[in-house]
Amino acid sequence: MKSRFYAEEELIFRAQAYAEELLNSDRSGHGADHTMRVYRLACRIAENESVDRIKVKVAALLHDVDDVKLFPETAKTKANAARFLKEAGCEDADIAAILTIIEQVSFIGTDSVKPDTPEGCCVQDADRLDAIGAIGIARAFTYGGSHGRALYDPNEPPRLNMTEAEYRSHISTTLNHFYEKLLLLKDRMTTETGRALAKERHRYLEGFLEEFLAEWEGTR
Ligand code: ADP
Ligand code: NI
């Protein structure tokens, strides 16, 4: 993938600046810090895959600039990412490829998809890795707090196998989010590196849940 106007490093730098501009003020778990972690993880995963590295980098940097929760008016068309890429002088076929990666990245219950391309796999695994492990726990409670969710309610069981519409409209406790999404991610990684990293982070989630529930029940 190439830009007609910028060298590779300049394109990456501009995509990063654009993501920071749009996401900087977010405190619900989608801040520019999340984007930069996804970028670094995607680069690390891509080292072991046969992919177009620039595509992986640009898609990772732009993956949340049309997120439906933050930008409901551009989520469908991916207008923010599309405009950035057009103005950067990228070819239409490359723009379409990046928009497809962004379209396929999200976890949306049983309607989640395996990306069509190896570049998409790198970005999806990276995004999912940032939802688990210590950072993932911090992000889940940040999201829960910013949406007024309870930490936990033993009388409210988690709901599994939700469709996209159900997953998006479902309001639940933050602890339930672990069972409804976070613990499911380990087995849905699509790259070797993603699988290896997810295994570690998944163990961390399990240890956290065990401790949380023991403290809640007063057995520890
Ligand atoms: P991403 O952009 O990483 O795919 P999402 O858009 O699904 O993630 O959500 C952003 C962050 O907020 C993630 O860490 C996710 O796990 C967390 N999150 C999303 N929904 C909930 C929820 N209902 N309760 C707690 N955390 C949530
Ligand atoms: Ni994300």
Side-chain angles (χ1 to χ4, degrees):
M1 157 170 192
K2 277 198 175 67
S3 153
R4 267 181 285 129
F5 307 142
Y6 310 121
E8 179 182 327
E9 270 148 48
E10 177 75 11
L11 178 65
I12 303 298
F13 178 80
R14 281 174 183 264
Q16 184 182 328
Y18 182 60
E20 271 169 10
E21 183 192 318
L22 291 191
L23 303 168
N24 229 349
S25 58
D26 180 73
R27 291 288 175 272
S28 70
H30 277 104
D33 60 313
H34 163 65
T35 287
M36 289 313 295
R37 287 190 303 272
V38 171
Y39 171 72
R40 288 190 292 272
L41 282 163
C43 291
R44 191 164 155 195
I45 293 168
E47 276 172 27
N48 301 323
E49 305 291 319
S50 156
V51 289
D52 179 341
R53 302 269 164 90
I54 314 173
K55 220 173 248 168
V56 171
K57 290 178 182 185
V58 172
L61 289 169
L62 298 179
H63 88 274
D64 270 343
V65 301
D66 292 293
D67 185 275
V68 67
K69 294 192 232 56
L70 303 178
F71 307 102
E73 66 292 349
T74 68
K76 226 188 173 100
T77 56
K78 314 267 175 281
N80 289 336
R83 185 168 16 87
F84 170 85
L85 294 164
K86 194 90 191 158
E87 286 175 10
C90 297
E91 282 178 12
D92 286 348
D94 288 332
I95 297 177
I98 299 275
L99 298 189
T100 300
I101 295 176
I102 297 174
E103 174 69 29
Q104 297 181 330
V105 76
S106 288
F107 177 87
I108 42 172
T110 53
D111 289 318
S112 308
V113 295
K114 179 180 186 294
D116 292 335
T117 59
E119 288 82 7
C121 290
C122 295
V123 179
Q124 188 185 72
D125 277 10
D127 192 36
R128 290 176 174 189
L129 284 167
D130 202 54
I132 56 179
I135 296 274
I137 294 170
R139 288 181 75 214
F141 287 100
T142 299
Y143 181 99
S146 77
H147 287 78
R149 305 279 168 87
L151 292 181
Y152 175 51
D153 179 353
N155 297 317
E156 198 185 313
R159 212 170 135 191
L160 301 173
N161 300 314
M162 285 183 278
T163 63
E164 175 175 6
E166 290 166 342
Y167 179 77
R168 293 229 189 266
S169 60
H170 180 58
I171 293 178
S172 187
T173 66
T174 301
L175 244 271
N176 277 354
H177 184 66
F178 284 70
Y179 299 92
E180 291 166 350
K181 171 183 172 186
L182 308 186
L183 291 170
L184 310 177
L185 298 179
K186 168 179 72 75
D187 292 332
R188 294 170 178 225
M189 293 287 150
T190 57
T191 67
E192 274 310 308
T193 316
R195 258 190 290 279
L197 294 171
K199 223 166 142 181
E200 303 283 321
R201 293 182 183 216
H202 183 88
R203 264 203 287 271
Y204 199 83
L205 291 186
E206 286 181 328
F208 169 80
L209 287 172
E210 194 189 320
E211 179 69 22
F212 183 103
L213 293 170
E215 290 181 14
W216 188 282
E217 286 154 15
T219 57
R220 185 136 61 206

